[in-house]
Amino acid sequence: MESALHASLYQALFDYQRMQYNTVVSATMKMLNALDGAKGQPEGGMLLREGLGILLRTLYPIAPHVTHVLWAQLGYAKELGDLLDAPLPVPAEDALRQEELELVVQVNGKLRGRVTVPANATEGQIKIVALADEHVRKFVDKPVRKVVYVPGKLINIVV
């Protein structure tokens, strides 16, 4: 939950710099979905409290009136002061680091599966894992001509 929240925050801050406010709102919706998933977790209350503060500070430049009212009603004003004076949140670097990546595997440009690999895996290791996947092997009936790897996103196997 925390990594999804900080990844969305990173996206929102990047989109603020590019002045693409519609995608900032999209990132805040992702934050809200991540916070919704924290409700049933044991430490969810503390994460929810921190996450709502991050969400309100991120959304403040776009929707100042409603976020100001929510900030006061949720008790953040007593703890942290006025929302107007609160700085924009900063994504936590340790929360952004991922141990594993999920990559899309395509065969001749068509989605054929997904593989999960360690984040520090080399391109060669990733190709081996992709070719060994049972869903992909069904579609690789001819010799492989080329394997195109887009780092962090996908592997396309051309047969």
Side-chain angles (χ1 to χ4, degrees):
M1 193 290 298
E2 187 178 9
S3 62
L5 178 74
H6 285 277
S8 298
L9 174 59
Y10 182 82
Q11 176 191 347
L13 294 177
F14 179 72
D15 291 336
Y16 266 128
Q17 292 173 349
R18 294 181 356 205
M19 288 191 260
Q20 294 187 334
Y21 303 117
N22 58 336
T23 53
V24 172
V25 174
S26 171
T28 59
M29 289 300 296
K30 290 178 186 176
M31 284 184 212
L32 192 59
N33 290 338
L35 292 173
D36 193 39
K39 286 181 184 175
Q41 295 180 359
E43 72 269 354
M46 193 169 80
L47 291 174
L48 189 63
R49 181 89 177 140
E50 176 191 354
L52 280 174
I54 290 172
L55 176 66
L56 290 174
R57 287 183 288 161
T58 304
L59 201 52
Y60 179 68
I62 294 175
H65 300 291
V66 72
T67 52
H68 185 78
V69 170
L70 288 171
W71 183 265
Q73 287 181 351
L74 292 172
Y76 291 104
K78 291 178 186 173
E79 292 175 29
L80 305 170
D82 195 27
L83 180 59
L84 182 62
D85 299 327
L88 272 176
V90 178
E93 292 295 325
D94 56 333
L96 291 176
R97 274 189 231 110
Q98 295 180 340
E99 298 293 323
E100 294 182 333
L101 295 174
E102 183 180 49
L103 302 172
V104 172
V105 182
Q106 298 178 339
V107 177
N108 291 334
K110 294 183 181 177
L111 177 65
R112 299 301 182 192
R114 297 177 188 276
V115 293
T116 303
V117 296
N120 59 354
T122 65
E123 184 175 342
Q125 294 169 330
I126 292 171
K127 287 178 184 178
I128 291 169
V129 170
L131 289 167
D133 186 60
E134 64 184 54
H135 300 295
V136 175
R137 276 189 276 143
K138 294 177 197 174
F139 300 99
V140 182
D141 51 354
K142 299 175 186 172
V144 176
R145 280 200 205 166
K146 186 177 181 182
V147 178
V148 179
Y149 172 59
V150 179
K153 297 196 185 265
L154 67 89
I155 305 153
N156 188 14
I157 300 166
V158 181
V159 293

